[in-house]
C-alpha cells in the first residue's frame, strides 16, 4: 500500500486477492486492465458482499471481444445470476453531475493510442474493432454497482491530464465520467 499525503490509497498489485485487501474501507474501487484479472471463489464471494453492501467498482482499459470475454467470465464468478447491459444515455449515472450525451460516447485514447509529433501536436489512433462501450451490472434494486469502460481508457486520460500532447477534450470527458461515477456511488 502507498499512503498519499491526501489520504488516498493507491494499491498497485497483480493477482489481486480481495480477501487480502481492505476493500470494505473504500466505497469506490477502480480496476484497470480488467481482462488480466482472475479471482478465486473466496475472493469472488468477498467482492460480491462488498458490492451488495454498497460498494462500487469501475473497470477500465481492456480491449477487443476476447478481453471482454475474459473479464465477463471473471465477473460471472462474482455474480453468476447477473448480466452486463449497455448503460443507456437516460440512466442517472450519465447525468448525476455532468450530462453525458450520445456525442460523448466516444473513444478515449490510452497514451499508446497517440502519435506525438515534434511540434507538440498529437493524433489519435483508434485500434480497428474497438467500438467503445459503457456497460454495467446492477443490484437487486436496479442501482449500478459495476461500471465497465470497454474499448476506452479513461485512466490514461486522467493520468496524462497535465501532459501537453494528450488531447484536453479527452481528459475533460474522462473526468466527467469519473466524477459522475463517484457522485453516483456516493448517492445511490
Amino acid at each position: 500500500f502507498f499512503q498519499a499525503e491526501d489520504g488516498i490509497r493507491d494499491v498497485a498489485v497483480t493477482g489481486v486477492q480481495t480477501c487480502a485487501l481492505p476493500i470494505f474501507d473504500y466505497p469506490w474501487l477502480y480496476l484497470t486492465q480488467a481482462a488480466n484479472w482472475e479471482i478465486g471463489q473466496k475472493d469472488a464471494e468477498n467482492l460480491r458482499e462488498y458490492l451488495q453492501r454498497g460498494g462500487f467498482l469501475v473497470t477500465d482499459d481492456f480491449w477487443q471481444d476476447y478481453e471482454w470475454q475474459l473479464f465477463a467470465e471473471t465477473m460471472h464468478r462474482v455474480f453468476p445470476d447477473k448480466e452486463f447491459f449497455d448503460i443507456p444515455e437516460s440512466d442517472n449515472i450519465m447525468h448525476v453531475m455532468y450530462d453525458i450525451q450520445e456525442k460523448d460516447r466516444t473513444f478515449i485514447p490510452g497514451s499508446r493510442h497517440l502519435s506525438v509529433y515534434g511540434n507538440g501536436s498529437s493524433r489519435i489512433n483508434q485500434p480497428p474493432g474497438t467500438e467503445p462501450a459503457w456497460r454495467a451490472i446492477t443490484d437487486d434494486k436496479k442501482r449500478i454497482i459495476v461500471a465497465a469502460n470497454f474499448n476506452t481508457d479513461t485512466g490514461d486520460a486522467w493520468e496524462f491530464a497535465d501532459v501537453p500532447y494528450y488531447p484536453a477534450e479527452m481528459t475533460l470527458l474522462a473526468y466527467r465520467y469519473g466524477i459522475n461515477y463517484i457522485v453516483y456511488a456516493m448517492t445511490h
Side-chain angles (χ1 to χ4, degrees):
F1 293 111
F2 168 74
Q3 182 72 40
E5 288 183 24
D6 60 7
I8 297 173
R9 282 191 182 186
D10 179 15
V11 181
V13 294
T14 56
V16 174
Q17 295 177 321
T18 64
C19 293
L21 299 174
I23 64 172
F24 289 91
D25 291 346
Y26 305 98
W28 196 84
L29 300 176
Y30 175 75
L31 175 66
T32 187
Q33 299 178 350
N36 300 322
W37 179 49
E38 292 185 32
I39 59 175
Q41 189 59 37
K42 186 174 180 183
D43 291 315
E45 291 167 3
N46 195 48
L47 183 58
R48 180 184 319 117
E49 181 181 352
Y50 164 82
L51 294 167
Q52 289 175 332
R53 290 173 54 185
F56 195 88
L57 173 65
V58 175
T59 64
D60 189 42
D61 190 15
F62 57 114
W63 306 85
Q64 308 281 351
D65 291 338
Y66 68 94
E67 287 194 1
W68 175 262
Q69 189 60 38
L70 291 171
F71 170 67
E73 288 171 8
T74 298
M75 286 306 299
H76 188 71
R77 280 185 234 124
V78 177
F79 289 114
D81 59 336
K82 297 189 181 292
E83 298 293 329
F84 278 95
F85 63 92
D86 288 321
I87 302 172
E89 184 182 336
S90 61
D91 195 283
N92 287 339
I93 204 165
M94 295 298 185
H95 305 281
V96 69
M97 184 73 176
Y98 292 101
D99 283 321
I100 296 175
Q101 302 169 358
E102 194 59 39
K103 68 176 179 59
D104 299 319
R105 293 175 181 248
T106 187
F107 177 72
I108 299 174
S111 60
R112 66 192 171 282
H113 303 120
L114 297 175
S115 294
V116 181
Y117 302 105
N119 64 1
S121 66
S122 61
R123 183 182 62 145
I124 296 171
N125 303 303
Q126 182 173 352
T130 57
E131 184 68 29
W134 290 266
R135 297 177 178 154
I137 290 177
T138 60
D139 64 12
D140 293 336
K141 294 180 182 177
K142 303 298 180 204
R143 294 178 298 214
I144 293 176
I145 56 175
V146 178
N149 304 328
F150 177 56
N151 283 333
T152 196
D153 194 345
T154 58
D156 266 15
W158 302 334
E159 181 180 352
F160 290 90
D162 63 344
V163 175
Y165 65 79
Y166 194 90
E169 66 276 8
M170 295 291 102
T171 292
L172 292 172
L173 181 58
Y175 277 134
R176 288 181 178 134
Y177 275 105
I179 290 167
N180 274 14
Y181 288 154
I182 291 169
V183 172
Y184 182 94
M186 301 300 187
T187 60
H188 287 73

